[in-house]
Amino acid sequence: MTKTMEWLQAKAPGFKNLSKDEQNAIADFSLLWSLFESRVLNTEGNVKNICAAVESWHDASTLDADAFDPELAYFRERYYATGAFTYHFNHLHFRKPDREDLVRAVIDGSDNDPRSRMAAILIIVFRYRNNLFHGVKWQYNLEGQFGNFTAANAILMKVLERYGALTEG
């Protein structure tokens, strides 16, 4: 265990109660997001640039939204049930420029356009990023986040493999 993990377990509220898998998923997310923001969003992580990236993949005929169906299914199950948005949806803490209307339409199934689906899942991942890095997720000691970060990490790895220009040089 690293000194940082030891410190977090000793000092950060609730951190020691998380499983090693939960701790790793959250730590992995930080690194994956940073690489994603660098390689895909040109160091400018925001919804406008996420949507522009999705449009560029569509225009280049490289958009493969179906590859992200398992993660979209996870988000739909978490955020929409029995014909209504769950209380988890409000905890995404959308801001005005975050295209909440688009995400809602994808999550409730009323918009299944591939560009919308891809943008929506990346916007949710962006909200996880903001909520983690701005401290919102610490308000409840990072509990219940394993599925979220597992899905987010899978999305980020798939996007980076397809669109991230990961070759050296």
Side-chain angles (χ1 to χ4, degrees):
M1 179 180 307
T2 67
K3 286 191 180 275
T4 301
M5 285 296 191
E6 287 175 4
W7 185 90
L8 286 166
Q9 285 192 359
K11 305 287 184 183
F15 197 78
K16 68 181 174 192
N17 299 328
L18 299 175
S19 71
K20 188 162 189 73
D21 286 343
E22 290 171 312
Q23 293 173 11
N24 288 338
I26 294 166
D28 293 350
F29 176 78
S30 298
L31 291 170
L32 287 168
W33 176 268
S34 178
L35 184 59
F36 168 77
E37 191 167 333
S38 170
R39 297 296 185 159
V40 176
L41 301 180
N42 200 27
T43 74
E44 303 260 345
N46 58 54
V47 170
K48 179 181 175 189
N49 287 344
I50 286 169
C51 292
V54 170
E55 284 298 323
S56 73
W57 304 331
H58 176 265
D59 293 347
S61 298
T62 60
L63 181 64
D64 184 12
D66 293 345
F68 299 84
D69 282 349
E71 293 80 19
L72 176 58
Y74 169 81
F75 291 149
R76 283 179 168 162
E77 183 177 315
R78 179 169 177 85
Y79 297 119
Y80 194 78
T82 61
F85 286 90
T86 67
Y87 75 98
H88 292 296
F89 190 82
N90 288 334
H91 290 150
L92 289 170
H93 300 285
F94 283 94
R95 298 165 314 147
K96 192 169 190 154
D98 290 341
R99 307 274 318 264
E100 180 178 353
D101 56 333
L102 171 83
V103 176
R104 280 183 179 275
V106 168
I107 295 301
D108 73 12
S110 62
D111 183 350
N112 279 306
D113 180 85
R115 288 175 291 184
S116 297
R117 293 186 353 248
M118 192 72 199
I121 64 169
L122 287 171
I123 291 167
I124 291 171
V125 173
F126 177 70
R127 294 308 316 142
Y128 290 174
R129 175 254 186 230
N130 284 2
N131 292 342
L132 178 66
F133 294 166
H134 295 292
V136 173
K137 290 199 176 289
W138 283 101
Q139 292 174 344
Y140 38 92
N141 300 331
L142 299 173
E143 291 177 7
Q145 298 302 304
F146 182 70
N148 293 348
F149 285 111
T150 299
N153 291 344
I155 290 165
L156 292 171
M157 288 186 287
K158 288 178 188 180
V159 168
L160 284 161
E161 287 173 3
R162 286 167 173 75
Y163 313 111
L166 295 176
T167 57
E168 296 286 334

mmCIF file of all heavy atoms in Angstrom, residues 19-30 32 68 70-72 74-75 78 125 128 137 144-158:
data_model
loop_
_atom_site.group_PDB
_atom_site.id
_atom_site.type_symbol
_atom_site.label_atom_id
_atom_site.label_comp_id
_atom_site.label_asym_id
_atom_site.label_seq_id
_atom_site.Cartn_x
_atom_site.Cartn_y
_atom_site.Cartn_z
ATOM 1 N N SER A 19 -13.819 -0.833 0.170
ATOM 2 C CA SER A 19 -13.029 -2.006 -0.190
ATOM 3 C C SER A 19 -11.827 -1.558 -1.027
ATOM 4 O O SER A 19 -11.812 -0.449 -1.583
ATOM 5 C CB SER A 19 -13.875 -2.990 -0.984
ATOM 6 O OG SER A 19 -14.137 -2.477 -2.277
ATOM 7 N N LYS A 20 -10.853 -2.436 -1.141
ATOM 8 C CA LYS A 20 -9.694 -2.141 -1.973
ATOM 9 C C LYS A 20 -10.125 -1.910 -3.424
ATOM 10 O O LYS A 20 -9.604 -1.017 -4.091
ATOM 11 C CB LYS A 20 -8.678 -3.275 -1.884
ATOM 12 C CG LYS A 20 -7.372 -2.980 -2.559
ATOM 13 C CD LYS A 20 -6.287 -3.920 -2.071
ATOM 14 C CE LYS A 20 -4.927 -3.520 -2.552
ATOM 15 N NZ LYS A 20 -4.375 -2.354 -1.925
ATOM 16 N N ASP A 21 -11.102 -2.688 -3.892
ATOM 17 C CA ASP A 21 -11.611 -2.490 -5.256
ATOM 18 C C ASP A 21 -12.229 -1.102 -5.421
ATOM 19 O O ASP A 21 -12.045 -0.455 -6.455
ATOM 20 C CB ASP A 21 -12.639 -3.564 -5.612
ATOM 21 C CG ASP A 21 -11.997 -4.921 -5.870
ATOM 22 O OD1 ASP A 21 -10.769 -4.991 -6.098
ATOM 23 O OD2 ASP A 21 -12.734 -5.923 -5.838
ATOM 24 N N GLU A 22 -12.979 -0.654 -4.420
ATOM 25 C CA GLU A 22 -13.579 0.688 -4.485
ATOM 26 C C GLU A 22 -12.499 1.761 -4.497
ATOM 27 O O GLU A 22 -12.560 2.708 -5.294
ATOM 28 C CB GLU A 22 -14.511 0.911 -3.291
ATOM 29 C CG GLU A 22 -15.778 0.086 -3.346
ATOM 30 C CD GLU A 22 -16.577 0.154 -2.059
ATOM 31 O OE1 GLU A 22 -15.998 -0.014 -0.961
ATOM 32 O OE2 GLU A 22 -17.800 0.382 -2.161
ATOM 33 N N GLN A 23 -11.525 1.624 -3.631
ATOM 34 C CA GLN A 23 -10.420 2.589 -3.591
ATOM 35 C C GLN A 23 -9.686 2.631 -4.927
ATOM 36 O O GLN A 23 -9.390 3.707 -5.451
ATOM 37 C CB GLN A 23 -9.455 2.240 -2.468
ATOM 38 C CG GLN A 23 -10.030 2.401 -1.084
ATOM 39 C CD GLN A 23 -9.096 1.888 0.001
ATOM 40 O OE1 GLN A 23 -7.937 1.586 -0.244
ATOM 41 N NE2 GLN A 23 -9.622 1.782 1.208
ATOM 42 N N ASN A 24 -9.420 1.450 -5.484
ATOM 43 C CA ASN A 24 -8.698 1.383 -6.760
ATOM 44 C C ASN A 24 -9.513 1.982 -7.900
ATOM 45 O O ASN A 24 -8.964 2.676 -8.757
ATOM 46 C CB ASN A 24 -8.320 -0.062 -7.089
ATOM 47 C CG ASN A 24 -7.208 -0.583 -6.206
ATOM 48 O OD1 ASN A 24 -6.440 0.181 -5.624
ATOM 49 N ND2 ASN A 24 -7.127 -1.896 -6.082
ATOM 50 N N ALA A 25 -10.810 1.721 -7.930
ATOM 51 C CA ALA A 25 -11.655 2.262 -8.998
ATOM 52 C C ALA A 25 -11.639 3.785 -8.993
ATOM 53 O O ALA A 25 -11.575 4.420 -10.052
ATOM 54 C CB ALA A 25 -13.084 1.731 -8.875
ATOM 55 N N ILE A 26 -11.673 4.361 -7.816
ATOM 56 C CA ILE A 26 -11.653 5.824 -7.700
ATOM 57 C C ILE A 26 -10.288 6.379 -8.092
ATOM 58 O O ILE A 26 -10.199 7.358 -8.847
ATOM 59 C CB ILE A 26 -12.058 6.247 -6.271
ATOM 60 C CG1 ILE A 26 -13.522 5.873 -6.019
ATOM 61 C CG2 ILE A 26 -11.826 7.741 -6.059
ATOM 62 C CD1 ILE A 26 -13.939 5.919 -4.561
ATOM 63 N N ALA A 27 -9.224 5.744 -7.624
ATOM 64 C CA ALA A 27 -7.875 6.195 -7.983
ATOM 65 C C ALA A 27 -7.642 6.036 -9.487
ATOM 66 O O ALA A 27 -7.087 6.937 -10.132
ATOM 67 C CB ALA A 27 -6.832 5.421 -7.179
ATOM 68 N N ASP A 28 -8.072 4.907 -10.046
ATOM 69 C CA ASP A 28 -7.916 4.675 -11.479
ATOM 70 C C ASP A 28 -8.650 5.741 -12.284
ATOM 71 O O ASP A 28 -8.153 6.207 -13.313
ATOM 72 C CB ASP A 28 -8.453 3.299 -11.868
ATOM 73 C CG ASP A 28 -7.632 2.149 -11.293
ATOM 74 O OD1 ASP A 28 -6.525 2.382 -10.749
ATOM 75 O OD2 ASP A 28 -8.123 1.001 -11.368
ATOM 76 N N PHE A 29 -9.830 6.125 -11.812
ATOM 77 C CA PHE A 29 -10.611 7.142 -12.512
ATOM 78 C C PHE A 29 -9.820 8.442 -12.648
ATOM 79 O O PHE A 29 -9.829 9.074 -13.709
ATOM 80 C CB PHE A 29 -11.925 7.402 -11.770
ATOM 81 C CG PHE A 29 -12.740 8.504 -12.383
ATOM 82 C CD1 PHE A 29 -13.487 8.276 -13.527
ATOM 83 C CD2 PHE A 29 -12.754 9.769 -11.827
ATOM 84 C CE1 PHE A 29 -14.238 9.295 -14.110
ATOM 85 C CE2 PHE A 29 -13.490 10.800 -12.401
ATOM 86 C CZ PHE A 29 -14.235 10.562 -13.548
ATOM 87 N N SER A 30 -9.141 8.833 -11.604
ATOM 88 C CA SER A 30 -8.373 10.084 -11.645
ATOM 89 C C SER A 30 -7.341 10.055 -12.767
ATOM 90 O O SER A 30 -7.197 11.029 -13.517
ATOM 91 C CB SER A 30 -7.673 10.322 -10.309
ATOM 92 O OG SER A 30 -8.612 10.447 -9.282
ATOM 93 N N LEU A 32 -7.291 7.946 -15.452
ATOM 94 C CA LEU A 32 -7.944 7.819 -16.746
ATOM 95 C C LEU A 32 -8.556 9.132 -17.208
ATOM 96 O O LEU A 32 -8.461 9.497 -18.385
ATOM 97 C CB LEU A 32 -9.013 6.719 -16.702
ATOM 98 C CG LEU A 32 -8.481 5.291 -16.674
ATOM 99 C CD1 LEU A 32 -9.602 4.322 -16.330
ATOM 100 C CD2 LEU A 32 -7.828 4.931 -18.001
ATOM 101 N N PHE A 68 -20.729 1.072 -26.315
ATOM 102 C CA PHE A 68 -20.897 1.599 -24.966
ATOM 103 C C PHE A 68 -22.263 1.251 -24.373
ATOM 104 O O PHE A 68 -22.646 1.778 -23.335
ATOM 105 C CB PHE A 68 -20.681 3.118 -24.980
ATOM 106 C CG PHE A 68 -19.301 3.499 -25.439
ATOM 107 C CD1 PHE A 68 -19.001 3.599 -26.791
ATOM 108 C CD2 PHE A 68 -18.292 3.732 -24.520
ATOM 109 C CE1 PHE A 68 -17.727 3.926 -27.209
ATOM 110 C CE2 PHE A 68 -17.016 4.064 -24.928
ATOM 111 C CZ PHE A 68 -16.720 4.161 -26.276
ATOM 112 N N PRO A 70 -23.340 -1.425 -22.737
ATOM 113 C CA PRO A 70 -23.377 -1.930 -21.352
ATOM 114 C C PRO A 70 -23.312 -0.817 -20.305
ATOM 115 O O PRO A 70 -24.036 -0.848 -19.306
ATOM 116 C CB PRO A 70 -22.142 -2.840 -21.259
ATOM 117 C CG PRO A 70 -21.848 -3.231 -22.667
ATOM 118 C CD PRO A 70 -22.255 -2.044 -23.504
ATOM 119 N N GLU A 71 -22.494 0.176 -20.557
ATOM 120 C CA GLU A 71 -22.378 1.293 -19.609
ATOM 121 C C GLU A 71 -23.629 2.171 -19.653
ATOM 122 O O GLU A 71 -24.099 2.624 -18.598
ATOM 123 C CB GLU A 71 -21.115 2.109 -19.909
ATOM 124 C CG GLU A 71 -19.833 1.350 -19.645
ATOM 125 C CD GLU A 71 -19.432 0.373 -20.749
ATOM 126 O OE1 GLU A 71 -19.916 0.504 -21.905
ATOM 127 O OE2 GLU A 71 -18.638 -0.547 -20.460
ATOM 128 N N LEU A 72 -24.186 2.381 -20.831
ATOM 129 C CA LEU A 72 -25.432 3.127 -20.934
ATOM 130 C C LEU A 72 -26.538 2.394 -20.183
ATOM 131 O O LEU A 72 -27.332 3.026 -19.473
ATOM 132 C CB LEU A 72 -25.825 3.347 -22.400
ATOM 133 C CG LEU A 72 -27.169 4.039 -22.632
ATOM 134 C CD1 LEU A 72 -27.229 5.405 -21.953
ATOM 135 C CD2 LEU A 72 -27.444 4.158 -24.129
ATOM 136 N N TYR A 74 -26.196 0.491 -17.604
ATOM 137 C CA TYR A 74 -25.953 0.728 -16.172
ATOM 138 C C TYR A 74 -26.504 2.092 -15.768
ATOM 139 O O TYR A 74 -27.202 2.214 -14.756
ATOM 140 C CB TYR A 74 -24.453 0.636 -15.850
ATOM 141 C CG TYR A 74 -24.139 1.124 -14.457
ATOM 142 C CD1 TYR A 74 -24.335 0.294 -13.347
ATOM 143 C CD2 TYR A 74 -23.698 2.425 -14.231
ATOM 144 C CE1 TYR A 74 -24.085 0.749 -12.062
ATOM 145 C CE2 TYR A 74 -23.448 2.887 -12.950
ATOM 146 C CZ TYR A 74 -23.642 2.046 -11.869
ATOM 147 O OH TYR A 74 -23.405 2.506 -10.590
ATOM 148 N N PHE A 75 -26.204 3.139 -16.547
ATOM 149 C CA PHE A 75 -26.681 4.485 -16.220
ATOM 150 C C PHE A 75 -28.207 4.552 -16.258
ATOM 151 O O PHE A 75 -28.823 5.190 -15.398
ATOM 152 C CB PHE A 75 -26.091 5.524 -17.166
ATOM 153 C CG PHE A 75 -24.608 5.759 -17.004
ATOM 154 C CD1 PHE A 75 -23.840 6.129 -18.089
ATOM 155 C CD2 PHE A 75 -23.982 5.615 -15.776
ATOM 156 C CE1 PHE A 75 -22.482 6.361 -17.968
ATOM 157 C CE2 PHE A 75 -22.619 5.839 -15.636
ATOM 158 C CZ PHE A 75 -21.863 6.217 -16.734
ATOM 159 N N ARG A 78 -29.541 2.945 -13.132
ATOM 160 C CA ARG A 78 -29.245 3.722 -11.929
ATOM 161 C C ARG A 78 -30.091 4.993 -11.853
ATOM 162 O O ARG A 78 -30.520 5.389 -10.779
ATOM 163 C CB ARG A 78 -27.765 4.093 -11.883
ATOM 164 C CG ARG A 78 -27.396 4.924 -10.653
ATOM 165 C CD ARG A 78 -25.904 5.050 -10.495
ATOM 166 N NE ARG A 78 -25.548 5.898 -9.372
ATOM 167 C CZ ARG A 78 -25.456 5.491 -8.114
ATOM 168 N NH1 ARG A 78 -25.703 4.241 -7.798
ATOM 169 N NH2 ARG A 78 -25.118 6.342 -7.161
ATOM 170 N N VAL A 125 -19.956 10.959 -17.092
ATOM 171 C CA VAL A 125 -18.587 10.754 -16.596
ATOM 172 C C VAL A 125 -17.980 12.097 -16.186
ATOM 173 O O VAL A 125 -17.306 12.189 -15.155
ATOM 174 C CB VAL A 125 -17.721 10.034 -17.646
ATOM 175 C CG1 VAL A 125 -16.261 9.982 -17.216
ATOM 176 C CG2 VAL A 125 -18.253 8.626 -17.897
ATOM 177 N N TYR A 128 -19.235 12.971 -12.845
ATOM 178 C CA TYR A 128 -18.499 12.223 -11.817
ATOM 179 C C TYR A 128 -17.168 12.913 -11.532
ATOM 180 O O TYR A 128 -16.757 13.050 -10.386
ATOM 181 C CB TYR A 128 -18.215 10.787 -12.270
ATOM 182 C CG TYR A 128 -19.386 9.862 -12.350
ATOM 183 C CD1 TYR A 128 -19.224 8.590 -12.874
ATOM 184 C CD2 TYR A 128 -20.665 10.211 -11.922
ATOM 185 C CE1 TYR A 128 -20.282 7.703 -12.973
ATOM 186 C CE2 TYR A 128 -21.727 9.330 -12.017
ATOM 187 C CZ TYR A 128 -21.530 8.080 -12.543
ATOM 188 O OH TYR A 128 -22.574 7.202 -12.635
ATOM 189 N N LYS A 137 -18.491 14.236 -3.759
ATOM 190 C CA LYS A 137 -18.567 12.810 -3.424
ATOM 191 C C LYS A 137 -18.026 12.515 -2.021
ATOM 192 O O LYS A 137 -18.387 11.511 -1.418
ATOM 193 C CB LYS A 137 -17.866 11.967 -4.486
ATOM 194 C CG LYS A 137 -18.651 11.970 -5.797
ATOM 195 C CD LYS A 137 -18.277 10.845 -6.694
ATOM 196 C CE LYS A 137 -19.124 10.807 -7.935
ATOM 197 N NZ LYS A 137 -20.494 10.408 -7.724
ATOM 198 N N GLY A 144 -20.930 3.831 -2.087
ATOM 199 C CA GLY A 144 -21.850 3.518 -3.177
ATOM 200 C C GLY A 144 -21.373 3.958 -4.541
ATOM 201 O O GLY A 144 -22.191 4.110 -5.456
ATOM 202 N N GLN A 145 -20.085 4.129 -4.723
ATOM 203 C CA GLN A 145 -19.566 4.669 -5.979
ATOM 204 C C GLN A 145 -18.871 3.632 -6.864
ATOM 205 O O GLN A 145 -18.453 3.944 -7.964
ATOM 206 C CB GLN A 145 -18.589 5.817 -5.683
ATOM 207 C CG GLN A 145 -19.221 6.975 -4.970
ATOM 208 C CD GLN A 145 -20.373 7.560 -5.761
ATOM 209 O OE1 GLN A 145 -20.209 7.945 -6.920
ATOM 210 N NE2 GLN A 145 -21.540 7.619 -5.157
ATOM 211 N N PHE A 146 -18.742 2.409 -6.376
ATOM 212 C CA PHE A 146 -17.986 1.409 -7.134
ATOM 213 C C PHE A 146 -18.557 1.204 -8.535
ATOM 214 O O PHE A 146 -17.820 1.238 -9.525
ATOM 215 C CB PHE A 146 -17.928 0.078 -6.373
ATOM 216 C CG PHE A 146 -17.131 -0.966 -7.082
ATOM 217 C CD1 PHE A 146 -15.754 -0.850 -7.187
ATOM 218 C CD2 PHE A 146 -17.747 -2.069 -7.659
ATOM 219 C CE1 PHE A 146 -15.000 -1.807 -7.855
ATOM 220 C CE2 PHE A 146 -17.009 -3.029 -8.332
ATOM 221 C CZ PHE A 146 -15.635 -2.902 -8.429
ATOM 222 N N GLY A 147 -19.847 1.008 -8.653
ATOM 223 C CA GLY A 147 -20.464 0.815 -9.967
ATOM 224 C C GLY A 147 -20.278 2.023 -10.869
ATOM 225 O O GLY A 147 -20.018 1.882 -12.067
ATOM 226 N N ASN A 148 -20.416 3.206 -10.292
ATOM 227 C CA ASN A 148 -20.248 4.429 -11.075
ATOM 228 C C ASN A 148 -18.847 4.528 -11.668
ATOM 229 O O ASN A 148 -18.675 4.784 -12.858
ATOM 230 C CB ASN A 148 -20.505 5.666 -10.217
ATOM 231 C CG ASN A 148 -21.936 5.790 -9.775
ATOM 232 O OD1 ASN A 148 -22.811 5.101 -10.261
ATOM 233 N ND2 ASN A 148 -22.172 6.664 -8.817
ATOM 234 N N PHE A 149 -17.848 4.332 -10.811
ATOM 235 C CA PHE A 149 -16.480 4.483 -11.297
ATOM 236 C C PHE A 149 -16.054 3.312 -12.165
ATOM 237 O O PHE A 149 -15.242 3.479 -13.083
ATOM 238 C CB PHE A 149 -15.514 4.738 -10.135
ATOM 239 C CG PHE A 149 -15.628 6.140 -9.610
ATOM 240 C CD1 PHE A 149 -16.149 6.385 -8.355
ATOM 241 C CD2 PHE A 149 -15.255 7.225 -10.379
ATOM 242 C CE1 PHE A 149 -16.279 7.684 -7.874
ATOM 243 C CE2 PHE A 149 -15.374 8.527 -9.914
ATOM 244 C CZ PHE A 149 -15.889 8.752 -8.655
ATOM 245 N N THR A 150 -16.599 2.145 -11.939
ATOM 246 C CA THR A 150 -16.307 1.011 -12.813
ATOM 247 C C THR A 150 -16.845 1.284 -14.215
ATOM 248 O O THR A 150 -16.149 1.065 -15.216
ATOM 249 C CB THR A 150 -16.907 -0.282 -12.228
ATOM 250 O OG1 THR A 150 -16.302 -0.525 -10.950
ATOM 251 C CG2 THR A 150 -16.652 -1.477 -13.129
ATOM 252 N N ALA A 151 -18.074 1.769 -14.310
ATOM 253 C CA ALA A 151 -18.651 2.122 -15.611
ATOM 254 C C ALA A 151 -17.873 3.269 -16.257
ATOM 255 O O ALA A 151 -17.556 3.227 -17.448
ATOM 256 C CB ALA A 151 -20.122 2.490 -15.460
ATOM 257 N N ALA A 152 -17.572 4.288 -15.477
ATOM 258 C CA ALA A 152 -16.842 5.442 -16.010
ATOM 259 C C ALA A 152 -15.466 5.030 -16.526
ATOM 260 O O ALA A 152 -15.043 5.463 -17.606
ATOM 261 C CB ALA A 152 -16.706 6.521 -14.934
ATOM 262 N N ASN A 153 -14.779 4.183 -15.774
ATOM 263 C CA ASN A 153 -13.453 3.729 -16.194
ATOM 264 C C ASN A 153 -13.529 2.925 -17.490
ATOM 265 O O ASN A 153 -12.690 3.089 -18.386
ATOM 266 C CB ASN A 153 -12.781 2.918 -15.089
ATOM 267 C CG ASN A 153 -12.413 3.783 -13.893
ATOM 268 O OD1 ASN A 153 -12.386 5.004 -13.970
ATOM 269 N ND2 ASN A 153 -12.135 3.141 -12.776
ATOM 270 N N ALA A 154 -14.541 2.083 -17.605
ATOM 271 C CA ALA A 154 -14.720 1.304 -18.838
ATOM 272 C C ALA A 154 -14.951 2.238 -20.027
ATOM 273 O O ALA A 154 -14.378 2.039 -21.113
ATOM 274 C CB ALA A 154 -15.876 0.324 -18.682
ATOM 275 N N ILE A 155 -15.775 3.253 -19.831
ATOM 276 C CA ILE A 155 -16.045 4.225 -20.895
ATOM 277 C C ILE A 155 -14.762 4.941 -21.291
ATOM 278 O O ILE A 155 -14.437 5.047 -22.478
ATOM 279 C CB ILE A 155 -17.116 5.240 -20.440
ATOM 280 C CG1 ILE A 155 -18.477 4.562 -20.346
ATOM 281 C CG2 ILE A 155 -17.169 6.452 -21.386
ATOM 282 C CD1 ILE A 155 -19.521 5.367 -19.579
ATOM 283 N N LEU A 156 -14.034 5.437 -20.312
ATOM 284 C CA LEU A 156 -12.815 6.192 -20.610
ATOM 285 C C LEU A 156 -11.795 5.329 -21.339
ATOM 286 O O LEU A 156 -11.164 5.783 -22.309
ATOM 287 C CB LEU A 156 -12.225 6.780 -19.332
ATOM 288 C CG LEU A 156 -13.049 7.883 -18.683
ATOM 289 C CD1 LEU A 156 -12.482 8.247 -17.319
ATOM 290 C CD2 LEU A 156 -13.149 9.104 -19.580
ATOM 291 N N MET A 157 -11.626 4.066 -20.915
ATOM 292 C CA MET A 157 -10.673 3.191 -21.598
ATOM 293 C C MET A 157 -11.102 2.917 -23.033
ATOM 294 O O MET A 157 -10.268 2.951 -23.951
ATOM 295 C CB MET A 157 -10.482 1.895 -20.818
ATOM 296 C CG MET A 157 -9.678 2.089 -19.535
ATOM 297 S SD MET A 157 -9.291 0.550 -18.668
ATOM 298 C CE MET A 157 -10.904 0.127 -17.992
ATOM 299 N N LYS A 158 -12.388 2.669 -23.251
ATOM 300 C CA LYS A 158 -12.869 2.426 -24.610
ATOM 301 C C LYS A 158 -12.668 3.657 -25.492
ATOM 302 O O LYS A 158 -12.237 3.547 -26.647
ATOM 303 C CB LYS A 158 -14.349 2.033 -24.606
ATOM 304 C CG LYS A 158 -14.630 0.646 -24.084
ATOM 305 C CD LYS A 158 -16.140 0.391 -24.080
ATOM 306 C CE LYS A 158 -16.521 -0.887 -23.395
ATOM 307 N NZ LYS A 158 -17.986 -1.098 -23.409
#
